[in-house]
Amino acid sequence: MGPMHETDVVVIGAGAAGVAAARQLLAAQIPAVVLEARPRVGGRAWTMREPSGMALDLGCGWLHSADENEWAALAPTLGLTVDRTPPPWGGRRRTIAFPSAEQEDFRAASERFFARIDAAADDPVDRPASDFLEPGSRWNPLLNAVGNYISGGELGCVSARDLAVYRDTGTNWRVTEGYGALIQAYAAPLDLRLDCPVTLIDHSGPRLRVATPRGDISARAAIVAVPASILASEALRFAPALPDKRAAADALPLGLADKLFLRVDTPEDLPTEARLFGALDQSSTGSYHLRPFGRPVIECYFAGRLAWELEREGDGAFARVALDQLAKHLGGDIRKRLHPIAATAWGHDPHALGSYSYARPGKTDARRVLATPVDDRLFYAGEACSTYDYSTAHGAYRTGVAAANGVAKLLKR
């Protein structure tokens, strides 16, 4: 089959990184086409509109480091609303079913743990984050659960150095209409081809040949903005092969964080913007955000090993655990008032295979290796390519812009 299309640049993936890259190319008046395997824009940012009109973020939901987050600045320009209500994890009074004295003890243990992680940034040997837990501390299981929410993986699998260099200003906001809706709105002027997975990039000739089920595309350069898991699994292949890229992607596995949304009957009986841990003494616990935005829902988070186990169990597993844990704290009567709306299974999503990247111990340099262009015409973007803002949509944005700027320099030679 001959070329379906010829263009200057092919952007592969219409998540936060690919959209940011393509918008940067558009501003530079560089012809580009965006190829997306899914039938929608946004990648791991996905806003579902529930029948009553509520926007539910099934993927990323928080504008982390919001005071310097490009998406937070873009939202109002696109007619969307930034909500500055602080997150429930930031205040002692917003965590319920956790006695104050114990909360203080846990908070102190957590601060000591992360201080030791930060101090390890310059250690000559990069160790698993679990090495920095206090031996015998009663809070280690809950700290591992929190580590799961942060990284999507158990502390024993996660690089302490990678955790230490993550940049966080401590400011967290949300988009009322949804983070996924924001990225979709930003993509509106782009030349998008949905339901168009790329299976091969042949970079052996003078021009790239990008193979899709709908035909080949010939291009001068490509920006590869797919999750590291897709490169590691070789769902997207290169000819000639790029073993260094595959090894770097394999060193940056995608951890897992899943969500379940429950509708609440008589929501006024529950506090708004409150948090609840399902269990305080084990890693296999959900974290529950009660009535976000004041809405009649509970947003349930599951991460790490627990999320993988529940995905394998299939339909209803997330709801079963959530109902059991919520009923333990809110009373058995709550079961009758909670109704599942939607649940994710990012680990089984063939275009994600997980939620966001962490670095294996000793592999922090893999982010730089993954982000390095090949032959000045294959450029890489995505949260896994970000050294300091990985696992976030703004980190993805920044890598997308950097890749597009690299392409612009190439094409202007």
Side-chain angles (χ1 to χ4, degrees), residues 370-386:
L370 188 62
T372 302
V374 175
D375 297 333
D376 270 346
R377 57 183 185 152
L378 286 178
F379 295 79
Y380 290 77
E383 56 85 12
C385 294
S386 175

Side-chain angles (χ1 to χ4, degrees), residues 23-303:
R23 283 295 303 254
Q24 191 79 354
L25 294 172
L26 183 65
Q29 299 182 313
I30 295 172
V33 60
V34 184
L35 306 181
E36 168 55 50
R38 305 175 188 276
R40 61 170 180 82
V41 171
R44 289 166 280 167
W46 178 20
T47 303
M48 185 193 91
R49 207 156 268 285
E50 192 256 355
S52 71
M54 281 190 299
L56 306 177
D57 269 321
L58 300 180
C60 56
W62 287 95
L63 294 157
H64 296 302
S65 297
D67 47 341
E68 61 173 41
N69 184 320
E70 289 84 352
W71 293 113
L74 282 168
T77 72
L78 296 165
L80 302 181
T81 312
V82 174
D83 183 288
R84 299 191 178 198
T85 305
W89 67 81
R92 295 165 175 80
R93 293 177 185 168
R94 288 194 294 275
T95 299
I96 64 172
F98 198 160
S100 295
E102 293 197 332
Q103 272 197 63
E104 289 300 325
D105 196 34
F106 171 67
R107 182 180 293 272
S110 179
E111 288 174 354
R112 292 193 302 272
F113 170 70
F114 284 105
R116 288 191 295 272
I117 291 284
D118 289 345
D122 298 322
D123 282 1
V125 177
D126 180 23
R127 292 187 282 158
S130 57
D131 282 11
F132 298 88
L133 294 168
E134 293 173 352
S137 170
R138 65 173 290 201
W139 297 117
N140 286 349
L142 190 57
L143 283 171
N144 192 60
V146 170
N148 280 333
Y149 306 142
I150 292 169
S151 301
E154 312 299 313
L155 290 175
C157 302
V158 174
S159 156
R161 184 176 294 155
D162 200 49
L163 272 184
V165 301
Y166 174 76
R167 176 173 167 76
D168 181 10
T169 69
T171 302
N172 297 279
W173 300 335
R174 288 169 294 185
V175 182
T176 305
E177 297 85 0
Y179 212 147
L182 167 58
I183 293 170
Q184 185 175 26
Y186 195 51
L190 301 177
D191 182 358
L192 289 161
R193 313 290 169 87
L194 302 179
D195 285 313
C196 191
V198 173
T199 54
L200 174 72
I201 300 176
D202 184 340
H203 57 110
S204 61
R207 287 178 67 90
L208 302 176
R209 181 175 66 86
V210 180
T212 84
R214 291 158 57 180
D216 294 352
I217 298 179
S218 171
R220 294 173 66 187
I223 296 176
V224 180
V226 301
S229 52
I230 300 303
L231 300 175
S233 69
E234 294 196 305
L236 169 56
R237 295 186 300 111
F238 296 84
L242 298 172
D244 289 353
K245 291 294 186 187
R246 185 183 176 193
D250 189 62
L252 301 167
L254 262 58
L256 186 60
D258 278 316
K259 293 184 184 179
L260 164 73
F261 286 90
L262 299 170
R263 176 179 285 282
V264 187
D265 295 341
T266 60
E268 59 275 10
D269 295 340
L270 295 177
T272 62
E273 300 287 4
R275 178 176 71 160
L276 169 68
F277 286 116
L280 301 177
D281 58 354
Q282 60 188 58
S283 296
S284 295
T285 179
S287 177
Y288 303 93
H289 186 173
L290 309 184
R291 300 194 60 201
F293 297 100
R295 294 167 178 165
V297 298
I298 298 177
E299 190 171 6
C300 314
Y301 297 84
F302 306 90

